[in-house]
Amino acid sequence: MPLIDTGDSDQQAFHSLLVTCLMSTWRDPNPLEGPEGSKLSSMASYFNKLAMRADRLEIRTNTACRIASRLLPLHHPEHATISGIPGLRLLGMNGRRVRLVHLPTGGRLDLIDSSSSGRTRYMKTIFSYETSWHDEPGSQRLWTTDVLSPREATCAELWAPRPCTVLRSALLMRSMPLWYKFDIQPAWRQPRPGESFPTLFWENDVDEADAAKVAWLLTESPVKIPGATYETDGPETGRLRLGDAQVRLTSQISA
């Protein structure tokens, strides 16, 4: 059986942070989106495959350097904000692969570029071009040092262990069917009144990719999350559970 999930708690913590960034839209942007506009919410459109290896997550794509440029953290002094993933650093690259590491957790991400020529010099040139906007006025690179900056350290709550970490990590590893098979763009929203857990929300067409269908993928299909259950609260919403963690799934018929 292929490896779907990781049992490493540090890698899971990194996945949990990453999935909150990737599952966002221009209407529901992640706080790490940054003042310059949609960089995180559009990244999933570049992905071809996600695969878990023994010590790292691999994302296959045609635009590895572009994705890296959107994930690597920048400081925006005028807005007192950080965009990208705090603590993410460039570990190295070769002709096919951009290797990233998350300093606080040690989580690893390799971006594998299927369109590259295979020459390291060419890859470095493309990377330099794709990250050139990092030097525009109002932005400061945080990813060029090998230590966590004080400003990044204030974001520690984003990767701190919590009951939902394993569930969110599992959702990341099953995100490709949601984006491509079901053709939905889910985004995180704040908990409903009286609830302590967040909502994963998306709009769908009639009879396509409703909450029940997504729940089936996550709890009953061949790629189900081991131990996950679903409690329906109506035709378009319900609670996905794994241990003590919960996420509300909510779909809405688009106009």
Side-chain angles (χ1 to χ4, degrees):
M1 290 292 292
L3 180 64
I4 298 178
D5 297 300
T6 177
D8 183 273
S9 59
D10 292 332
Q11 188 75 30
Q12 289 172 345
F14 173 60
H15 287 184
S16 179
L17 170 56
L18 184 59
V19 78
T20 61
C21 296
L22 297 179
M23 290 188 176
S24 59
T25 66
W26 66 271
R27 286 193 224 179
D28 295 276
N30 186 277
L32 298 173
E33 189 69 69
E36 70 280 351
S38 63
K39 291 288 192 296
L40 298 176
S41 61
S42 60
M43 279 196 301
S45 62
Y46 296 111
F47 294 175
N48 296 328
K49 182 180 179 181
L50 271 72
M52 192 65 228
R53 304 306 180 196
D55 62 344
R56 66 190 183 276
L57 171 66
E58 292 183 347
I59 297 179
R60 294 184 178 272
T61 176
N62 296 328
T63 55
C65 294
R66 182 170 302 173
I67 293 171
S69 78
R70 298 184 179 192
L71 290 176
L72 289 167
L74 301 175
H75 178 218
H76 306 278
E78 293 182 5
H79 302 272
T81 60
I82 290 177
S83 64
I85 295 182
L88 194 66
R89 297 293 188 268
L90 178 67
L91 190 60
M93 70 177 70
N94 58 28
R96 297 285 185 192
R97 190 179 297 252
V98 178
R99 297 182 293 122
L100 304 170
V101 62
H102 187 239
L103 292 180
T105 63
R108 283 281 313 279
L109 170 62
D110 282 14
L111 304 170
I112 302 173
D113 198 317
S114 57
S115 68
S116 173
S117 66
R119 298 192 299 270
T120 300
R121 180 180 296 180
Y122 173 82
M123 197 73 154
K124 289 182 176 180
T125 299
I126 297 300
F127 181 81
S128 179
Y129 170 78
E130 290 290 356
T131 56
S132 61
W133 62 273
H134 290 191
D135 297 319
E136 293 177 356
S139 298
Q140 296 178 352
R141 300 185 183 207
L142 294 174
W143 55 270
T144 54
T145 66
D146 57 2
V147 296
L148 195 68
S149 71
R151 184 164 293 277
E152 289 174 293
T154 65
C155 302
E157 181 64 21
L158 296 176
W159 54 80
R162 61 188 69 188
C164 66
T165 296
V166 176
L167 178 55
R168 290 194 183 192
S169 176
L171 285 170
L172 173 68
M173 299 311 301
R174 292 155 181 84
S175 56
M176 292 296 286
L178 304 185
W179 290 321
Y180 290 100
K181 180 177 177 63
F182 292 162
D183 196 25
I184 63 175
Q185 292 183 299
W188 297 96
R189 290 186 172 178
Q190 294 299 314
R192 289 183 174 188
E195 294 182 343
S196 61
F197 48 90
T199 292
L200 195 60
F201 170 89
W202 66 93
E203 293 185 353
N204 63 292
D205 297 328
V206 177
D207 298 327
E208 293 184 5
D210 58 14
K213 183 176 290 186
V214 171
W216 173 85
L217 173 82
L218 299 175
T219 63
E220 299 183 49
S221 76
V223 296
K224 65 184 179 182
I225 301 172
T229 60
Y230 182 70
E231 298 178 16
T232 181
D233 292 328
E236 300 296 337
T237 188
R239 288 161 290 166
L240 179 69
R241 296 176 179 266
L242 182 64
D244 295 332
Q246 295 185 65
V247 170
R248 177 169 291 282
L249 304 180
T250 297
S251 56
Q252 177 178 302
I253 302 296
S254 57

